[in-house]
Amino acid sequence: RVDTVYAQTLLGTSYTVGDYQIKKEGEHIINIATTEGCDSMVVLYLENIKVFIPNIFSPNGDSNNDYFEVFSSDDAITTTEMSIYDRWGGLVYRGDRWDGTYENEYLNPGVYFYLVRLINMDGEDLSFRGSVTLVR
């Protein structure tokens, strides 16, 4: 029996087939033996999706890096929540694209912390944490 699987993973993560964890993009042929002694073959076509979360942005109105947002090599990845915190842990933004303001006021340049939740095409919830520097 031969099964064909088309799958996507985030770059650096793996896709599991039986006892195998595959990270490398491309075609993979995997033979799986069942406990009943039957053999199956899985042909896996794996695509790595690249997600880029900037570590700096400059919301200064020049139309260049004016928003802190998540970029992906695939439209199937969607940002479900982006939370931005100041250095004291206070929430300053929740949404999907931050313009460097809090309550319609420009925030001071500095380091802010984020929690980003994404959903991939399989419905998996993926979380990323880090910091971003706001410059003007």
Side-chain angles (χ1 to χ4, degrees):
R1 175 175 164 210
V2 177
D3 289 318
T4 302
V5 176
Y6 296 90
Q8 294 178 317
T9 61
L10 288 177
L11 185 63
T13 63
S14 61
Y15 186 84
T16 303
V17 177
D19 293 333
Y20 299 93
Q21 292 191 355
I22 313 295
K23 285 187 176 183
K24 186 177 178 187
E25 189 171 55
E27 178 185 72
H28 303 273
I29 298 173
I30 304 155
N31 291 307
I32 300 173
T34 65
T35 56
E36 293 83 30
C38 299
D39 288 336
S40 295
M41 183 188 309
V42 175
V43 179
L44 170 65
Y45 294 95
L46 186 62
E47 177 186 2
N48 293 137
I49 298 173
K50 294 140 193 94
V51 172
F52 175 68
I53 302 175
N55 62 359
I56 192 167
F57 81 118
S58 58
N60 57 11
D62 68 356
S63 298
N64 224 357
N65 299 314
D66 282 339
Y67 295 94
F68 175 66
E69 57 190 319
V70 177
F71 300 94
S72 170
S73 64
D74 190 301
D75 291 337
I77 297 287
T78 57
T79 303
T80 59
E81 180 181 322
M82 176 189 292
S83 301
I84 309 293
Y85 301 90
D86 62 21
R87 63 182 170 183
W88 298 282
L91 180 68
V92 297
Y93 176 79
R94 181 167 283 140
D96 62 359
R97 190 171 112 149
W98 185 40
D99 64 359
T101 63
Y102 175 66
E103 296 181 346
N104 295 320
E105 297 288 328
Y106 292 112
L107 288 174
N108 290 327
V111 176
Y112 294 83
F113 301 92
Y114 65 81
L115 171 61
V116 173
R117 291 181 53 221
L118 306 176
I119 300 281
N120 70 10
M121 67 178 265
D122 296 327
E124 277 184 283
D125 190 0
L126 310 162
S127 295
F128 298 87
R129 296 171 192 264
S131 62
V132 60
T133 301
L134 184 157
V135 296
R136 296 228 180 254

